[in-house]
Amino acid sequence: MKGIFQKTMLITLLGASIACPMQASAYDEPTNYVHMKTENMTVYSAYGATISATEKNGVYSIKANIVNNRQPLEVVIFKNGQTGVLQQVFKKGITEPVAYRDEGDRVVATIHNNAELKFVQPEQLYFRDLTRATGSSYIQTLAERGIIRGRTPDYFGVNDALTRAQFSALLVRAFSFQQMPTKQFTDIDQKKSWYVGHVGALHSLGIINGKSPTIFDPNGKITRQQAILMLGRTLDAVDFVHEDEPTLPYEDSRAFQGELLRHTQTLYAIGALDESAMLRPNDYITRSQFAKMLAVTLQIAGRL
């Protein structure tokens, strides 16, 4: 996906921040890309994909000859009085999250598959365990978009660990990757596992590996170090580039090298990792800790 939307990404990095989101006037329309317009939507592809775009009764349909998850489309939809959150529509009316940023009068979504999109009213959420949780605003934002879900309708589970299956689903939802089959892992039921497509998408991109060539271990827990590696690899997959190589403040990161060091430096530089003396890379990451990492990363990458 080398070079995808590079111009827009640079503008996003310069203009966007957590505290001060971009305004509608900051959006730079990427007119150099192949595009198709409808009344309220424009679809762009930097890869010259053949695009078919239509809109009818509030549903925005996009079809393109996308080869894989490394070839995204950028979809700009003007709200024109519509409210709610943008989501993907699947069969039988089921909706799933889509990664997008809100520019005021329009939304800008990045998708990696053919899709039907529409604005839906978000579920009213109240997680009783967010009152004293660090990063509760990040959790609320992701939950409102449908990217992250509670353990129950009123309980998020801020201190609970994430399993490998849950982690895979979070990344695929957050970055709107196309779900893909995976048949090499014997401990994943191809017909009944709700996460099989999420694991397949990440495995095809080299973001997540099995515990062995045939064992995935979907219920295994994710450490902080593993979360950093996989979130960093996700940024690589979408061609996010951050040039800074800051000195890490963590006493327990001094032995980091190669890929782990690079991804830790990137996530620290963009504010996805906390300022503290210890990183605790071998601790299991909690749902609230990863919610912050994910939300900050999506915002800096121009997807939230």
Side-chain angles (χ1 to χ4, degrees):
M1 206 173 77
K2 190 79 173 173
I4 186 70
F5 309 134
Q6 214 167 41
K7 181 178 179 183
T8 354
M9 185 67 73
L10 289 173
I11 292 171
T12 301
L13 291 175
L14 292 172
S17 69
I18 306 304
C20 183
M22 292 177 65
Q23 301 300 313
S25 60
Y27 180 70
D28 185 29
E29 187 173 278
T31 53
N32 293 331
Y33 304 134
V34 173
H35 62 280
M36 181 174 181
K37 291 188 176 183
T38 63
E39 182 179 359
N40 295 295
M41 172 177 62
T42 307
V43 185
Y44 301 93
S45 167
Y47 286 94
T50 301
I51 300 168
S52 173
T54 60
E55 59 176 285
K56 183 178 180 181
N57 298 326
V59 176
Y60 302 86
S61 300
I62 303 103
K63 293 182 180 179
N65 58 333
I66 302 172
V67 176
N68 56 39
N69 275 311
R70 293 186 183 275
Q71 297 182 353
L73 301 174
E74 184 170 281
V75 182
V76 181
I77 300 176
F78 284 86
K79 293 180 182 178
N80 196 20
Q82 297 185 89
T83 60
V85 297
L86 191 69
Q87 293 208 333
Q88 299 185 67
V89 184
F90 288 89
K91 293 180 179 178
K92 299 180 181 179
I94 298 173
T95 60
E96 284 286 331
V98 61
Y100 72 92
R101 66 181 185 272
D102 194 327
E103 299 286 354
D105 63 336
R106 73 198 82 182
V107 296
V108 183
T110 303
I111 62 175
H112 297 259
N113 57 315
N114 297 327
E116 289 189 344
L117 310 175
K118 72 173 183 178
F119 290 95
V120 301
Q121 293 304 314
E123 182 182 355
Q124 296 300 311
L125 299 169
Y126 174 73
F127 298 125
R128 52 188 169 81
D129 56 334
L130 290 194
T131 307
R132 298 181 181 179
T134 303
S136 59
S137 62
Y138 299 112
I139 295 170
Q140 198 68 36
T141 297
L142 294 178
E144 287 173 354
R145 293 283 182 91
I147 293 171
I148 200 168
R149 297 165 184 167
R151 302 303 295 270
T152 68
D154 65 346
Y155 177 76
F156 182 73
V158 292
N159 296 317
D160 293 351
L162 280 171
T163 67
R164 289 166 55 80
Q166 293 167 347
F167 189 90
S168 299
L170 272 176
L171 280 184
V172 171
R173 288 183 200 136
F175 284 86
S176 296
F177 289 136
Q178 182 176 9
Q179 295 186 38
M180 300 181 68
T182 177
K183 297 182 179 179
Q184 66 269 42
F185 300 122
T186 58
D187 58 342
I188 295 180
D189 188 317
Q190 301 300 311
K191 294 182 178 180
K192 297 181 180 179
S193 298
W194 60 269
Y195 49 80
V196 60
H198 303 110
V199 173
L202 297 189
H203 189 260
S204 70
L205 291 167
I207 292 170
I208 197 168
N209 299 312
K211 290 295 186 73
S212 77
T214 59
I215 298 298
F216 182 72
D217 188 22
N219 296 317
K221 297 177 181 178
I222 295 288
T223 67
R224 291 167 58 81
Q225 177 173 310
Q226 291 167 340
I228 289 169
L229 274 171
M230 288 187 277
L231 187 53
R233 289 171 185 165
T234 302
L235 288 177
D236 281 349
V238 298
D239 278 348
F240 176 89
V241 177
H242 196 280
E243 301 294 343
D244 291 348
E245 296 182 357
T247 300
L248 298 173
Y250 313 116
E251 296 176 13
D252 50 0
S253 70
R254 292 171 183 169
F256 287 6
Q257 295 180 1
E259 184 186 24
L260 177 58
L261 175 61
R262 179 169 64 86
H263 292 321
T264 306
Q265 287 175 323
T266 295
L267 294 178
Y268 174 72
I270 66 175
L273 300 178
D274 292 334
E275 291 276 358
S276 61
M278 305 295 286
L279 182 63
R280 305 186 308 282
N282 297 317
D283 286 2
Y284 293 130
I285 194 163
T286 67
R287 287 163 57 82
S288 62
Q289 289 168 348
F290 187 65
K292 176 189 174 179
M293 287 175 60
L294 183 59
V296 171
T297 300
L298 287 170
Q299 286 176 310
I300 294 299
R303 294 182 176 228
L304 186 63

